[in-house]
Amino acid sequence: MKPLIIALFGLLMFSCTAGNTPNLTTNTRSTQFSTDGEKLAFLKKYLTMYSDGEAAEYQIVYHDNSSGGVPGPSDWDMRVALKMAPEHLALWTADMQPIAPELVDLAWGYQLLPHEPRWKIQAKPLVYMRSNVIVAIFPQQGILFKRIWTQ
């Protein structure tokens, strides 16, 4: 009887504390924010930042499935364009395999870019991939596209 009581107590404690974590579910575009600082602060809640960014444009679709009766893995599709110092771009491609740019459709990244001089791209990207992650870098402009998704 004691193990059952202990198990029920543990389940009750988990249920009471599970709701204390903020729900991260969102469908947010960077255009909802006014400044680069606001955009980057929001992005940092969802994306591991391997270096500092100067500016960001994105659409984050994230379904937080960590709470509720039966918690499960979350689902996401994050499409991000980052402007940064060109020497930091390589930090974002570690452990990734280079692939030919023509093998991927990067339209989602180009669609994120505002019509501003700092976001003007004048070269073909170097593209890298690993499971459910695509990174395209534009070394001359210090621009990076990153898309990460779940199945």
Side-chain angles (χ1 to χ4, degrees), residues 53 66 93 109 138:
S66 65
T93 61
F138 301 85

Side-chain angles (χ1 to χ4, degrees), residues 30 40 43 47 55-59 78-84 108-114 119 121 136 138 142-147:
S30 55
L40 288 164
L43 180 62
L47 186 68
E57 298 296 334
Y58 49 80
Q59 180 177 13
M78 294 184 266
R79 302 166 186 209
V80 179
L82 283 166
K83 179 83 173 140
M84 66 185 66
W108 56 267
Y110 290 102
Q111 290 170 355
L112 293 170
L113 301 179
W119 288 105
I121 293 176
F138 301 85
I143 294 175
L144 171 140
F145 293 168
K146 181 168 187 170
R147 184 169 184 190

